[in-house]
Amino acid sequence: MEQRQLGKRTVGAIGLGGMPMSIEGRPDEARSIATIHAALDAGVTLIDTADAYHQHPGEAGHNEALIARALVSYPHHKSEVLVASKAGHVRPGDGTWAINGDPAYLKQAAKATAQRLGRDSIGLHQFHRPDPRVPYADSVGAFAELLDEGVIEMAGVSNANVEQIREAHDVLGGRLTSVQNQFSPAFVSSYDELELCGELGVAFIPWSPLGGIGKAGDVGTRFLPFQHVADARGISAQQVVLAWELGLGDHVIPIPGASRPSSILDSAGASEITLTDDEMEQLRPTLDA
Ligand SMILES: NC(=O)c1ccc[n+]([C@@H]2O[C@H](COP(=O)([O-])OP(=O)(O)OC[C@H]3O[C@@H](n4cnc5c(N)ncnc54)[C@H](OP(=O)(O)O)[C@@H]3O)[C@@H](O)[C@H]2O)c1
């Protein structure tokens, strides 16, 4: 698999998003473990998770613990795998997503995540979403302290706009490693943030890179230019979408979610596909939609 730089780590250009394996509609554990192992077999070395990826009350960290178990039972290159988690979202158990950007809460949540992952420190930890009740600098400041204390090795932010990315970069003293924002043919409005990350030397991690759970299957019918390129090459429209995202910059690392091995195997194949200038030009109008 093509490799990309994520701060001080090198990871496969396509990561695995863990959310579909832990929220509503999740599969049984055996299928989830098979999905994670299939990703690792395909050369995936970045797995994205969050303490809020769970369904029921009282099971915060369901996805983190699942990934930890999958790595324990994987016999090969697991020391190369970077597990990236997040804190700042909570799920009360009624199907909603609430926010908590309180610095003391974020620090305590990070320590619980490290414990669930069975690690002394978290490889990459991301502030999940700005909390309008808490100054952004205070929430991100908790991540600066976690870096200083060695609880986390690298810090990222998620769902951040251009101003917030610049602020996070300052608060972290230039140690912002990544920005994880929604980005796909169905959601291009974070292209400014993607470009800013390129300028700052920060990785950009598109979330829901195929358009999201329940919508990824028909990305080709909803965005026909991707289907046309896919048909011409004899590959899936999903691979074209991911290859297009990779083609937007060397700092872009998509994390397609999966709950079955076949999905991540197809997605991982996108890292071997380099779209031509002509193909990128055909897809360019997507950014103006
Ligand atoms: N930071 C945030 O606020 C935030 C928000 C949302 C998501 N995320 C992260 O981003 C990750 C990805 O987003 P997402 O899971 O919401 O959406 P997504 O990656 O756009 O779509 C996920 C769905 O796509 C299907 N899929 C994957 N590869 C496929 C392929 N090659 N062909 C056909 N279908 C394919 C999977 O189906 P199967 O389930 O059937 O395998 C999966 O359910 C999440 O898992 C999570 O880690 C972060």
Side-chain angles (χ1 to χ4, degrees), residues 49 55 87 156 159:
T49 183
Q55 183 175 356
N159 299 299

PDB file of all heavy atoms in Angstrom, residues 49 55 87 156 159:
ATOM      1  N   THR A  49     -10.845   5.673  15.607  1.00  0.00           N
ATOM      2  CA  THR A  49     -11.900   5.309  16.538  1.00  0.00           C
ATOM      3  C   THR A  49     -12.257   6.537  17.384  1.00  0.00           C
ATOM      4  O   THR A  49     -11.813   7.644  17.108  1.00  0.00           O
ATOM      5  CB  THR A  49     -11.448   4.103  17.400  1.00  0.00           C
ATOM      6  OG1 THR A  49     -12.514   3.708  18.255  1.00  0.00           O
ATOM      7  CG2 THR A  49     -10.221   4.415  18.223  1.00  0.00           C
ATOM      8  N   GLN A  55     -23.115   2.263  21.266  1.00  0.00           N
ATOM      9  CA  GLN A  55     -24.555   2.388  21.053  1.00  0.00           C
ATOM     10  C   GLN A  55     -25.317   2.596  22.361  1.00  0.00           C
ATOM     11  O   GLN A  55     -26.147   3.490  22.473  1.00  0.00           O
ATOM     12  CB  GLN A  55     -25.050   1.118  20.349  1.00  0.00           C
ATOM     13  CG  GLN A  55     -26.524   1.144  20.007  1.00  0.00           C
ATOM     14  CD  GLN A  55     -26.944  -0.068  19.198  1.00  0.00           C
ATOM     15  OE1 GLN A  55     -26.114  -0.891  18.831  1.00  0.00           O
ATOM     16  NE2 GLN A  55     -28.219  -0.191  18.924  1.00  0.00           N
ATOM     17  N   ALA A  87     -11.842  12.389  21.697  1.00  0.00           N
ATOM     18  CA  ALA A  87     -12.671  12.658  22.880  1.00  0.00           C
ATOM     19  C   ALA A  87     -13.358  13.996  22.678  1.00  0.00           C
ATOM     20  O   ALA A  87     -12.836  14.872  21.968  1.00  0.00           O
ATOM     21  CB  ALA A  87     -11.813  12.690  24.132  1.00  0.00           C
ATOM     22  N   GLY A 156      -4.604  15.885  17.340  1.00  0.00           N
ATOM     23  CA  GLY A 156      -5.348  16.348  16.173  1.00  0.00           C
ATOM     24  C   GLY A 156      -6.648  16.992  16.607  1.00  0.00           C
ATOM     25  O   GLY A 156      -7.056  16.894  17.777  1.00  0.00           O
ATOM     26  N   ASN A 159     -13.627  18.366  12.950  1.00  0.00           N
ATOM     27  CA  ASN A 159     -14.768  19.264  12.757  1.00  0.00           C
ATOM     28  C   ASN A 159     -14.380  20.715  13.063  1.00  0.00           C
ATOM     29  O   ASN A 159     -15.097  21.442  13.742  1.00  0.00           O
ATOM     30  CB  ASN A 159     -15.948  18.808  13.621  1.00  0.00           C
ATOM     31  CG  ASN A 159     -16.385  17.406  13.239  1.00  0.00           C
ATOM     32  OD1 ASN A 159     -16.796  17.166  12.114  1.00  0.00           O
ATOM     33  ND2 ASN A 159     -16.277  16.463  14.168  1.00  0.00           N
TER      34      ASN A 159
END
